[in-house]
Amino acid sequence: MTLETTTARPAPTADWVTLADLHTDPFPIYRRMRDEAPVHWVPDVGRYMVTSYESCHLIENDQETFSANETGSLMKRAMGHSMLRKDDPEHDVDRKSYGSVLRPKAIKETWNAIFERNSEAFLARLQAAGPGADLISEYAAPYAAENLRLIMGFHNASQEDMQRWSQTMINGTGNYADDPDVWAASKKSYDEVDDAIDEVLPYLLRNPDGSLLSGLASMPIPLEAIRANMKMTIGGGLNEPRDVIGVAVWALLGNPAQLEQVKADQARFAVAFEEAVRWVAPIGMYPRETTRDTVLEGIRLPQGARLGVVIGAANRDPKVFADPDRFDINREKKPHLAFGGGNHFCAGTWVARASVAGVALPRLFNTLPNLRLDPSRQAVDAGWVFRGMTALPVTWDQ
């Protein structure tokens, strides 16, 4: 037994944490937990929650000790056994099957033009809805969904299908309350996605294009792996850009001086994007499982411990980010963890940056004069496993 093991202490129990409070506003909870210890056992969640930047960063880069292939994974149940719940070398095989579809060259040559076209179409929809419309339902969500539909190659589905599939399966992935209605809706989408994939793959073999499914159609990849990875992509590939658009707009409209800076130098929309995902990480928590007895920042963890790597807390760690609860595009640049790290660094990062910072945000603010929050209706942010704006009523000058 090493000195480190003998001097380590057990994780404190945070029996005061409830799922309801986490859903409403997790950040005060994270602050208290992080101040007390980097790791807590949380009975209501049924896992150890890791809240410090140092610990989350360490976990991301040590798959031998902290496995993504969690036992009893909610994500496996909701979406199948995707690459996100695999370690290398299995993870690397799945990841490489995506080829270059999501990389900067393809974005520049193919997808940026599609992002521009979709932004124009859904901005027109937002304008038609008129001042007081919900930015999320009229612009951010359908824009993210239609972009993803085309990138993935679902020629037999609509953006509305993509939204329904994404939200219900994400709800399953975060169903820590084990709500049977959530599981039923998630299972329905699970089956619909499988059917859509089975239908479209033969079409794409005959009519190849630059989409993800087109590339996978001709590869020796097991069908179950394709299905699981496509479900995972529908989840993260839609909710991340949708939620970053909502949070960034909400933050900029709440900080007029910073908004003027960005409008005066539109290259700074990229800075606003990075600050938005730091401030409110769209994927706020993901699981890991220990493969052996270990010690994490002085906290003893047994083999088989189920962890929650709380990126939403790590990105507000005051040891790394000054005044971390404040949205500030002028803060000192430091790496956040919103897109994960190590071998699981988010494959859709370049798409999210291009579609949101490069197109959605500048087009929105350049098109709608004096865009502002609607004072007559409440903006609502919610969630902790996944967090974003569930309502963002806006108005503008006509």
Side-chain angles (χ1 to χ4, degrees):
M1 183 175 289
T2 67
L3 178 64
E4 182 184 40
T5 304
T6 58
T7 59
R9 59 189 175 107
T13 297
D15 53 9
W16 49 273
V17 175
T18 69
L19 290 172
D21 288 342
L22 283 168
H23 179 80
T24 302
D25 184 4
F27 297 112
I29 296 170
Y30 296 160
R31 193 180 311 122
R32 175 178 167 183
M33 292 171 70
R34 202 174 44 234
D35 287 348
E36 292 176 359
V39 183
H40 284 72
W41 170 252
V42 184
D44 220 31
V45 179
R47 64 182 59 238
Y48 295 88
M49 290 179 65
V50 181
T51 53
S52 75
Y53 183 102
E54 181 178 343
S55 291
C56 290
H57 182 62
L58 187 153
I59 289 169
E60 286 181 334
N61 290 281
D62 184 3
Q63 63 176 326
E64 292 185 2
T65 306
F66 304 100
S67 174
N69 191 13
E70 184 190 42
T71 305
S73 164
L74 297 183
M75 186 179 201
K76 289 180 190 177
R77 179 174 174 181
M79 298 180 178
H81 196 174
S82 75
M83 68 176 79
L84 282 189
R85 296 283 72 80
K86 295 179 181 179
D87 302 313
D88 289 333
E90 293 81 9
H91 163 269
D92 189 54
V93 171
D94 281 10
R95 175 130 177 173
K96 285 179 178 175
S97 73
Y98 275 37
S100 60
V101 175
L102 306 179
R103 294 192 171 272
K105 185 173 186 286
I107 292 168
K108 181 179 179 180
E109 294 179 352
T110 303
W111 304 121
N112 272 336
I114 290 171
F115 301 156
E116 294 279 357
R117 185 172 72 239
N118 289 339
S119 178
E120 183 177 352
F122 291 110
L123 271 176
R125 169 172 158 166
L126 177 64
Q127 289 174 294
D134 177 38
L135 184 86
I136 305 304
S137 61
E138 300 295 341
Y139 180 59
Y143 170 73
E146 182 64 3
N147 288 344
L148 187 64
R149 185 184 75 84
L150 296 171
I151 288 170
M152 294 188 72
F154 278 109
H155 301 292
N156 55 342
S158 67
Q159 63 88 4
E160 290 87 357
D161 292 328
M162 300 292 288
Q163 288 196 58
R164 184 179 73 259
W165 294 341
S166 178
Q167 195 59 55
T168 51
M169 289 190 296
I170 277 176
N171 290 346
T173 298
N175 191 18
Y176 285 87
D178 201 24
D179 185 326
D181 292 336
V182 170
W183 284 127
S186 178
K187 180 62 166 62
K188 184 174 184 292
S189 291
Y190 183 109
D191 292 338
E192 288 181 13
V193 173
D194 282 353
D195 290 343
I197 290 171
D198 292 350
E199 180 184 59
V200 81
L201 283 177
Y203 169 84
L204 289 169
L205 270 173
R206 299 188 303 269
N207 303 277
D209 57 24
S211 68
L212 276 174
L213 280 165
S214 179
L216 290 166
S218 59
M219 294 184 69
I221 301 293
L223 180 58
E224 286 308 308
I226 294 175
R227 287 171 168 175
N229 287 325
M230 291 301 97
K231 294 189 193 90
M232 175 271 294
T233 303
I234 290 170
L238 199 159
N239 88 289
E240 287 192 59
R242 177 198 67 197
D243 292 344
V244 177
I245 291 170
V247 167
V249 171
W250 185 49
L252 288 169
L253 293 181
N255 293 274
Q258 293 184 51
L259 175 57
E260 289 307 309
Q261 283 183 274
V262 171
K263 290 167 72 173
D265 177 7
Q266 302 217 346
R268 289 179 67 79
F269 275 114
V271 180
F273 171 92
E274 299 296 338
E275 175 63 355
V277 297
R278 181 209 65 84
W279 189 53
V280 179
I283 299 178
M285 188 279 285
Y286 57 80
R288 290 291 186 266
E289 183 174 306
T290 56
T291 60
R292 58 180 178 86
D293 293 349
T294 191
V295 174
L296 189 63
E297 282 198 82
I299 302 295
R300 189 183 310 120
L301 293 170
Q303 179 180 350
R306 290 157 58 86
L307 309 183
V309 184
V310 190
I311 298 304
N315 278 350
R316 293 196 181 196
D317 190 333
K319 292 181 179 178
V320 179
F321 304 100
D323 197 5
D325 293 327
R326 187 165 68 93
F327 177 87
D328 182 8
I329 65 170
N330 298 305
R331 70 171 58 253
E332 181 184 355
K333 185 177 180 180
K334 292 186 177 180
H336 59 72
L337 303 179
F339 294 115
N343 63 325
H344 282 95
F345 181 77
C346 177
T349 299
W350 296 283
V351 167
R353 285 171 172 154
S355 64
V356 176
V359 177
L361 294 177
R363 273 190 167 270
L364 178 71
F365 283 103
N366 292 337
T367 301
L368 301 182
N370 192 24
L371 180 67
R372 56 197 183 276
L373 298 174
D374 185 341
S376 67
R377 295 169 58 207
Q378 184 75 29
V380 181
D381 58 322
W384 67 283
V385 179
F386 303 93
R387 188 167 182 85
M389 308 302 300
T390 58
L392 188 58
V394 293
T395 190
W396 59 89
D397 296 343
Q398 289 188 298

